[in-house]
Amino acid sequence: MRRILPTLVTGALVLPALAACSTFGEEESASGGTEKLVLVAHESFSLPDELVEEFEAEHDVDLEVRQPGDAGAVVTEIALNPDDSGADAVFGVDTTFASRLLDADALEPFEGDLPPGADAYELADEDRLVPVDSGNVCVNVDTGWFAERGIAEPESLDDLVDPTYADLFVTPGPVDSSPGLAFLLTTIAAYGEDGWRDYWRGLVDNGAELVAGWSDAYYTSFTAGGEDGQRPIVLSYDSSPAFTTTEDGSATTTRALLDTCFTQVEYAGVLRGADNAEGAQELVSWLLSEEVQAALPDNMYVYPVRDDVELPAAWAEFAPRPDAPYTMEPAEIAANRETWIGEWREETQR
């Protein structure tokens, strides 16, 4: 999944600060002081500085966050060298890519306890990937763009291949982007093995723009995400409209199409061969703490897995969840993912 969504402040896009990488812990550990703890995470990992500092002080570690890109890039980096990834823990592996790390035997079992509600998101018979948050990948629209032009907003997947919406949709591809892969799985679930390839041919013929990652789609091409965006339909999340509100907070400028959504769960884990395995276990437990879980909505725009955490008020008003999102069993994804991605390449690169 992930992503950093904009908050509108007097017309400017303001992004939460990412946790900074530091070499201080590495210097101290050589003399027996603070230990370094390395977390590899997707590009949108972001938590309040004060929470990170409290964790570092409590466990006497210096947390270094390495962010190579979207979730697919994170998984690829670890899976290529599972014995020595250079990190201690991982965050942001989602349902669509989970099997890559499990098959690579890149993870150690989690030794802590799950908080209330988290067991609903566990992978079957699997204690190496720990659920941290959930969300739904959905098509989003810039409602103001359509209103200004008197064009009806799209409502469904079928609408995206309608000539009315030619050259208006942008989506990341499924190769390295977890939302892009989720959208591919959405189309497979919706149209079946006999129809999804035809659907993608229709998308391409209707001028859909394919980009590498979610940030490229949302901040560069989407009209409500970037100053120079030209496309008012984008692949994003069900929570996105809660963060495109007007200055007074009375309305949102975007809308998620709830009939186009696919459910994702994000996981964390302790990496095999970790130099600081104890710190990695503590880090995963910390991601499940009430304080971190409560911070997830406003900082990473995802739903916590704990069911005892209150959501921001704007989410109830502007970010309703889909009643019947598309889903797919992880085993089915694992068995077919590479084949489907290969077929997707064939249809979109003709």
Side-chain angles (χ1 to χ4, degrees), residues 199-266:
Y199 179 77
W200 274 94
R201 282 197 293 272
L203 279 179
V204 172
D205 290 345
N206 207 36
E209 180 184 12
L210 306 177
V211 296
W214 177 88
S215 296
D216 299 316
Y218 201 95
Y219 291 124
T220 301
S221 296
F222 186 39
T223 52
E227 292 182 0
D228 298 321
Q230 300 295 314
R231 293 181 178 250
I233 310 173
V234 67
L235 185 72
S236 197
Y237 294 84
D238 56 351
S239 59
S240 301
F243 297 91
T244 56
T245 54
T246 55
E247 187 173 355
D248 63 3
S250 64
T252 182
T253 62
T254 63
R255 180 172 70 94
L257 308 185
L258 298 184
D259 289 337
T260 68
C261 301
F262 186 92
T263 297
Q264 282 185 317
V265 178
E266 286 191 317

Side-chain angles (χ1 to χ4, degrees), residues 26 34 41 90 122 130 148 175 178 202 207 237 245 250 263 266 269 331:
E26 184 175 9
T34 303
V90 61
E122 284 186 284
V130 180
E148 289 172 6
V175 179
S178 62
Y237 294 84
T245 54
S250 64
T263 297
E266 286 191 317

Side-chain angles (χ1 to χ4, degrees), residues 39 45 47 55 90-91 131-132 267-269 282-290 292-293 296 300 305-306:
L39 171 68
F45 176 81
L47 288 172
F55 172 79
V90 61
F91 166 78
V132 175
Y267 301 90
E282 293 168 344
L283 177 63
V284 175
S285 292
W286 175 66
L287 292 173
L288 298 173
S289 67
E290 287 190 55
V292 171
Q293 289 279 297
L296 291 176
M300 285 191 275
V305 293
R306 293 186 71 118

Side-chain angles (χ1 to χ4, degrees), residues 88-119:
D88 302 301
V90 61
F91 166 78
V93 182
D94 64 39
T95 317
T96 60
F97 284 111
S99 66
R100 281 188 181 176
L101 287 194
L102 296 174
D103 292 345
D105 194 23
L107 301 158
E108 297 288 350
F110 175 55
E111 298 172 358
D113 297 321
L114 294 180
D119 57 347

